[in-house]
Amino acid sequence: MHVPDGFINAPVSAVAGVVAAGAVAVSLRGARRELDERTAPLAGLVAAFIFAVQMLNFPVAAGTSGHLLGGALAAILVGPFTGVLCIAVVLLMQGILFADGGLTALGVNITVMGVVTVVVAYALFRGLIRVLPRGRRSTTAAAFVAALVSVPAAAVAFTLIYAVGGTTDVPIGKVLTAMVGVHVLIGIGEAAITALTVGAVIAVRPDLVHGALGLAAPLKLRVGGELVDAPAATPAPVAARSTRTVWATGLIAALVLAGFVSFYASANPDGLEKVAADKGIDEKVQEHGAADSPLADYGVKDVGNARVSGGLAGVIGVGVTVAVGSGVFWAVRKRRTPETPAARTAESV
């Protein structure tokens, strides 16, 4: 789904850039309500994890592959505003360092892969959990459906942008049919990855899943033959519930995926690349502005061994993404207000 330079003309790319910049600005303000000292580093980890999993192209049809977009996963784990920022950080790192996704098309990519997927997925997710029974299974199921729908929604968004600013003369109906068809299949993989990840985090630390906050079903006790809600358990203090283990485990998983598992990813073109080649959308594609980057095409320049080169590039990408993402989220986090003397006195009594 990474749109390269040359697919969309300059005026429409500029408008998409303005839309993306506005979305990022709004998200920077909104993320302040979603992040604090505890969750800001985890948001950086989510960005790095999405970067790593995006390297794992999986086959979806003959000669076609797909990969995670990540908007649904980010929105459910850390919140919709922070989710948009996560995808924006990933796309920026991919474009500048790895020549993946055009630099002039960065606004298009953030709008399609970040804003559209997050808005569609999170709106659908919140709607589903309002009508489904509370609990881990229903939350995971809602995440599955939301992620599944978000991918063809992004394909539709790209097609609409292409209809306005495409640089080649291809019937829009054919583009829409091809894009939605292949991305429904990719959406199944997206949904599976999202549901597995959200379900795994909910199983160990439901307090760290933004979309699951307040969704735990109350424990029932039978009293006098009737079921009543049991008294709510007092949550552990924030300071006592360290996120270091979760952060370290997630980082190790991202490094393994990017540094080792990515070598076994499908080499087939992804959905957009396949449709572009089949329909002639790529006739005016331009060379990437960062094509000479030492990490272009997810390999380290002058490292002859393909396995080592790709693995090192993946590890570097994860490290840079987690550093940049954590820095951004730490800067915009909500600061903890100092306790008043009266409050401290009351606690000490």
Side-chain angles (χ1 to χ4, degrees), residues 103 183 325:
L103 296 179
H183 284 89

Side-chain angles (χ1 to χ4, degrees), residues 254-275:
L255 290 171
V256 170
L257 291 172
F260 177 73
V261 181
S262 63
F263 180 77
Y264 302 97
S266 173
N268 290 329
D270 66 22
L272 176 59
E273 292 172 331
K274 179 65 173 175
V275 172

Side-chain angles (χ1 to χ4, degrees), residues 25 113 157 171 213 243 264 273 294 319 322 346:
M113 295 179 64
L213 296 179
T243 60
Y264 302 97
E273 292 172 331
V322 75

Side-chain angles (χ1 to χ4, degrees), residues 194-219:
T194 301
L196 288 171
T197 305
V198 171
V201 179
I202 289 178
V204 295
R205 290 295 299 271
D207 60 303
L208 298 180
V209 178
H210 179 89
L213 296 179
L215 295 180
L219 179 65

Side-chain angles (χ1 to χ4, degrees), residues 20 30 35 57 62 65 92 102 127 140 146 156 160 179 215 241 253 261 278 286 303 320 324 331 337 340 347 349:
L35 298 172
N57 280 50
S65 70
L92 184 62
T140 304
V156 171
L160 293 175
M179 284 292 291
L215 295 180
R241 310 194 72 185
V261 181
D278 290 347
Q286 300 172 4
V303 175
V320 173
V324 173
T337 56
T340 62
E347 287 184 359
V349 174

